[in-house]
Amino acid sequence: MAFSDGRVCGLPANQVDHIEPGDDHSMANLRALCEWCHRHKSAQEGGTAAALTRVRTHRPKPTHPALED
Ligand SMILES: [Zn+2]
């Protein structure tokens, strides 16, 4: 996953993300993300289908582990 400042997440992608949240499961709407990126994106979206499986008490860390100094 590429970040807004141009850096790219180097962690293994083991999650399938829906680029546009919803019921579109076509390949054009799917991409691979690492677990952290997927949680972070889902948390930002909020209130979508992803919320159904999210552990509500667990908040993603603000800094991606691959980008920590
Ligand atoms: Zn990542």
Side-chain angles (χ1 to χ4, degrees):
M1 176 177 178
F3 292 85
S4 57
D5 63 0
R7 290 185 291 184
V8 177
C9 167
L11 294 182
N14 57 6
Q15 306 273 311
V16 177
D17 174 51
H18 290 77
I19 297 170
E20 291 294 331
D23 295 326
D24 181 1
H25 304 299
S26 67
M27 289 301 294
N29 193 44
L30 300 177
R31 64 179 169 177
L33 292 179
C34 83
E35 183 179 0
W36 190 96
C37 287
H38 194 204
R39 276 208 313 261
H40 192 67
K41 177 176 181 289
S42 296
Q44 289 180 327
E45 288 164 358
T48 66
L52 296 175
T53 56
R54 193 167 69 224
V55 178
R56 293 182 178 280
T57 56
H58 187 101
R59 290 294 170 195
K61 294 196 296 182
T63 303
H64 193 291
L67 300 181
E68 290 176 348
D69 294 325

